[in-house]
Amino acid sequence: MNILSIDPAAIDWARAQFALTAIYHWLFVPLTLGLAVIMGIMETCYYRTGRPFWRHAARFWQRLFGINFAMGVATGIILEFEFGTNWSNYSWFVGDIFGAPLAIEGIVAFFMESTFVAVMYFGWDKVSKGFHLASTWLTGLGATISAWWILVANAWMQHPVGCEFNPETMRNEMTSFADVAFSPFAIDKFCHTVTSAWIIGAVFVVGVSAWYLLQRREAEHELAMQSIKIGAIVGLIASILAAVTGDESAYRVAKVQPMKLAAMEALYNGGNDVSLTGIAAVNPFSQPDYENQREAPMRVAVPYGLSILATRTLHGFVPGVNDLLNGYTRPDGTIEPSAEQKMERGRMAITALAAYREAKASGNEAEATAQAAILKQHFPYFGYGYIKDRSELVPFIPINFWAFRIMVGFGTLFILFFALVLFLMRKRKASPTPFPRWLLWLAIALIPCAYIASECGWLVAEFGRQPWTIQDMLPVGASVSDIGSAAVATTFFLFLALFTAMLCVEINIMLKQIKKGPEL
Amino acid sequence: MPQPGFFTRAFRLYYDGFREMTIGRTLWLIIAIKLFVIFAVLKVFFFPNFLKEHSPSGHEADFVATELAERAYIQEPSSAAPQP
């Protein structure tokens, strides 16, 4: 038996099901995080000025926050079910590394959010203004802290740190909580993800407010104008921060997941002075012939851009797909092994693991110690022992290439959009409607674009690390349970129906509440 | 009239809050249906714990070791980990 004896369709269905669930869950999380900031700012305005308008405005956005929160709650739990059923090898292998952050997330989410959400909704006129304001901010903070722990778990899969594999228990054991919880990869991921969530909140608020202006609803005019102002300020700051944190994330990816960066850039052959691809004719539906093409056709690039992004130097060396497969010498003189060398070392690690366990079972301690040493020596390449062909190590380039460009493209558009909105508000201060109608329509159209950009970010993060569930340690084929594809396919379509129905219900309730407007 | 205690006030906060809900009633109903579907249907019928079903309690490590050893591309068959 080897990896080919696992039904490939089962791997694909398990991946598709996880992707579907994660993408659906991620429709709710960013709006929760983003709206939390905006409603917090509005309630702070109420606290400081005492104007009833701000109270109505805060309550209106809190109502939409509540609808989104209620629809999103518990959708993430399904992912944990999938770990236990579809990804049992992986679940066991990651051990407590994954369990600890998820447990903290569950406790924080439950106690912090449930307590302060209740005060936020039920506490108007029943608790002091200060306590209510604190509860509103703490609701958002609780959700943000929850996101932190989830992203810590995800970051560990992208860049496993603070752990040691125990061949006795077959689990990775945490050696440093701080290394796991505050890994630079996790910090970058958190900052980029949360700032992108603020953008979604801001785009949503500006888009909904634009609809009120388009409808010329007098009762909601001030709400719309003030919401656009706050939304655009939050959105502009968040968009710029997302660009900065995105740049830092890419720098980190270049260091620990160079194949992902090469796929994002369709960089087949690396070198020094590498330019950053703006656009190129990469076929979105098929893997390019990276072995024989020098570079992607019709490439338009920014000179030195990728070297600066990946190494922070003008002439820095950036490896391409072929360099990573063939092996290369780094600028510091160290050698990156070829794919075949890594695969060989991976097989040695797996063989040593089996021999270690056999020696242990037969009570041969000396042999077990010797095999444990071999395992430790080759463990950094453990996952490569499951790779049959070097081409499996290259993620699907088109999806990484295009998803990255869609995300960055929309991110740039958001900066321009928010800047234009604020400019017009300032320039036409005296006018009751400073925005042209096309801009208001654009604001509405940008709502789905913000979600697409955010989901594209996840596509890059998750497709880019293929074939790994845990970078270099465990590929998807070894992580998945030996289950039939029909069972996973059935639940996939079950989820698809369930999620679609729930999304329709949410959009319906949300639209009704938006049409109703704030109860002034 | 004496000020009610903390627990009484906390209870009233929740009690009055739930009683005076408008859109919240619909949302709670949706949450309840969703939790029922997730825990009473999906978890029970579609998402069993694979390891618990396929390995005796306490021998999960052996099961995973066998799985991982057998899935590798080893030229000569490696000696697999002991069976549970």
Side-chain angles (χ1 to χ4, degrees):
Chain A
M1 178 177 170
N2 59 33
I3 222 163
L4 281 181
S5 61
I6 300 296
D7 183 1
I11 302 173
D12 290 343
W13 279 115
R15 284 182 62 201
Q17 190 183 82
F18 198 88
L20 175 74
T21 319
I23 285 172
Y24 179 74
H25 182 57
W26 191 248
L27 289 175
F28 302 103
V29 179
L31 188 58
T32 298
L33 299 178
L35 272 184
V37 173
I38 290 172
M39 66 194 196
I41 292 171
M42 288 187 174
E43 196 176 330
T44 305
C45 292
Y46 172 58
Y47 179 81
R48 288 171 68 95
T49 65
R51 263 191 78 200
F53 162 78
W54 286 116
R55 176 187 159 112
H56 292 305
R59 290 192 77 164
F60 172 67
W61 293 112
Q62 280 174 6
R63 203 185 321 145
L64 300 189
F65 173 92
I67 294 165
N68 181 65
F69 190 86
M71 289 296 163
V73 77
T75 51
I77 288 174
I78 300 170
L79 294 168
E80 297 196 26
F81 294 171
E82 290 171 28
F83 284 138
T85 303
N86 302 345
W87 303 97
S88 58
N89 288 345
Y90 159 83
S91 296
W92 185 265
F93 194 78
V94 297
D96 300 331
I97 309 272
F98 221 66
L102 293 186
I104 297 171
E105 189 271 335
I107 293 165
V108 169
F110 182 78
F111 287 106
M112 201 161 168
E113 290 176 46
S114 60
T115 304
F116 293 114
V117 158
V119 176
M120 187 174 83
Y121 284 108
F122 301 158
W124 288 102
D125 304 324
K126 291 195 173 74
V127 298
S128 70
K129 275 167 74 176
F131 184 55
H132 194 277
L133 176 65
S135 298
T136 300
W137 278 111
L138 285 170
T139 299
L141 184 66
T144 309
I145 292 173
S146 290
W148 169 269
W149 292 112
I150 295 292
L151 293 168
V152 161
N154 183 277
W156 184 84
M157 293 160 71
Q158 313 272 350
H159 179 46
V161 287
C163 64
E164 193 169 1
F165 178 67
N166 183 343
E168 188 94 37
T169 60
M170 290 296 294
R171 309 190 90 161
N172 280 284
E173 293 171 356
M174 198 182 285
T175 52
S176 167
F177 179 76
D179 282 357
V180 175
F182 303 108
S183 129
F185 204 95
I187 293 169
D188 285 338
K189 187 173 267 290
F190 171 80
C191 293
H192 189 54
T193 308
V194 169
T195 48
S196 74
W198 293 349
I199 298 174
I200 287 192
V203 169
F204 179 82
V205 166
V206 174
V208 170
S209 304
W211 183 78
Y212 287 133
L213 294 182
L214 280 168
Q215 295 294 308
R216 296 194 171 92
R217 285 169 54 153
E218 280 307 311
E220 282 86 22
H221 186 81
E222 188 180 5
L223 170 87
M225 290 302 294
Q226 294 294 350
S227 297
I228 287 176
K229 188 177 176 183
I230 291 173
I233 291 170
V234 170
L236 183 62
I237 293 170
S239 304
I240 293 168
L241 287 177
V244 173
T245 55
D247 173 70
E248 193 59 30
S249 289
Y251 174 64
R252 196 73 57 189
V253 164
K255 278 187 162 178
V256 299
Q257 294 179 306
M259 185 62 91
K260 183 190 278 185
L261 185 75
M264 283 157 60
E265 280 297 302
L267 179 71
Y268 310 147
N269 298 292
N272 297 97
D273 312 333
V274 184
S275 52
L276 182 71
T277 305
I279 200 83
V282 175
N283 185 336
F285 305 108
S286 68
Q287 186 77 317
D289 182 12
Y290 52 81
E291 282 184 325
N292 299 310
Q293 280 184 353
R294 197 176 65 79
E295 63 174 31
M298 299 168 71
R299 184 167 172 264
V300 179
V302 181
Y304 304 105
L306 193 58
S307 282
I308 295 170
L309 184 139
T311 66
R312 301 294 191 239
T313 61
L314 205 59
H315 308 294
F317 178 81
V318 186
V321 173
N322 292 320
D323 301 297
L324 291 160
L325 292 177
N326 297 330
Y328 63 96
T329 305
R330 297 190 194 91
D332 63 4
T334 55
I335 291 173
E336 176 73 15
S338 69
E340 284 72 20
Q341 287 169 325
K342 289 177 185 174
M343 284 149 67
E344 185 54 36
R345 289 187 65 180
R347 283 166 196 148
M348 288 164 81
I350 294 166
T351 306
L353 172 64
Y356 167 87
R357 292 186 63 81
E358 197 172 65
K360 269 282 181 188
S362 61
N364 186 346
E365 284 300 325
E367 176 65 10
T369 307
Q371 293 298 336
I374 297 172
L375 173 63
K376 195 171 182 180
Q377 185 191 350
H378 300 295
F379 193 75
Y381 302 102
F382 185 85
Y384 288 86
Y386 298 96
I387 305 298
K388 187 185 179 191
D389 187 274
R390 53 158 48 193
S391 64
E392 293 170 32
L393 294 168
V394 184
F396 190 59
I397 291 170
I399 203 161
N400 285 281
F401 181 83
W402 288 113
F404 181 63
R405 267 141 200 86
I406 291 170
M407 177 185 71
V408 173
F410 277 135
T412 311
L413 178 62
F414 296 142
I415 293 176
L416 297 173
F417 169 74
F418 288 127
L420 178 63
V421 167
L422 289 173
F423 171 75
L424 289 175
M425 280 195 105
R426 193 175 165 81
K427 195 181 171 199
R428 303 177 185 175
K429 214 183 289 181
S431 167
T433 50
F435 310 113
R437 285 181 75 80
W438 66 264
L439 191 68
L440 298 175
W441 281 114
L442 176 66
I444 296 171
L446 284 182
I447 295 176
C449 297
Y451 281 97
I452 291 168
S454 186
E455 299 286 4
C456 278
W458 278 110
L459 292 183
V460 172
E462 302 307 304
F463 273 97
R465 76 174 140 111
Q466 294 303 316
W468 309 109
T469 37
I470 309 169
Q471 183 74 34
D472 295 344
M473 246 194 231
L474 205 65
V476 286
S479 308
V480 79
S481 307
D482 188 7
I483 48 175
S485 59
V488 193
T490 305
T491 44
F492 174 89
F493 287 110
L494 200 67
F495 285 166
L496 190 62
L498 183 72
F499 292 161
T500 308
M502 277 170 48
L503 195 60
C504 291
V505 170
E506 190 208 356
I507 292 172
N508 188 274
I509 296 174
M510 193 76 96
L511 290 178
K512 274 186 184 163
Q513 290 301 316
I514 291 169
K515 276 182 191 163
K516 202 171 159 191
E519 289 155 343
L520 295 168
Chain B
M1 196 171 163
Q3 173 89 350
F6 171 77
F7 290 105
T8 310
R9 281 184 290 145
F11 172 77
R12 279 187 190 162
L13 177 85
Y14 279 88
Y15 181 77
D16 293 342
F18 279 115
R19 215 180 44 173
E20 290 161 13
M21 281 189 312
T22 50
I23 181 72
R25 284 178 207 275
T26 314
L27 297 177
W28 273 108
L29 180 68
I30 291 167
I31 291 173
I33 293 169
K34 188 167 54 172
L35 290 176
F36 176 79
V37 170
I38 288 174
F39 286 102
V41 180
L42 293 177
K43 177 64 185 160
V44 174
F45 297 106
F46 295 100
F47 288 96
N49 187 313
F50 185 85
L51 280 184
K52 274 189 184 161
E53 284 197 343
H54 289 78
S55 68
S57 181
H59 289 82
E60 291 90 349
D62 295 329
F63 180 83
V64 173
T66 309
E67 283 274 306
L68 292 185
E70 288 182 347
R71 289 189 195 185
Y73 282 107
I74 311 293
Q75 298 301 318
E76 291 174 6
S78 67
S79 45
Q83 289 293 328

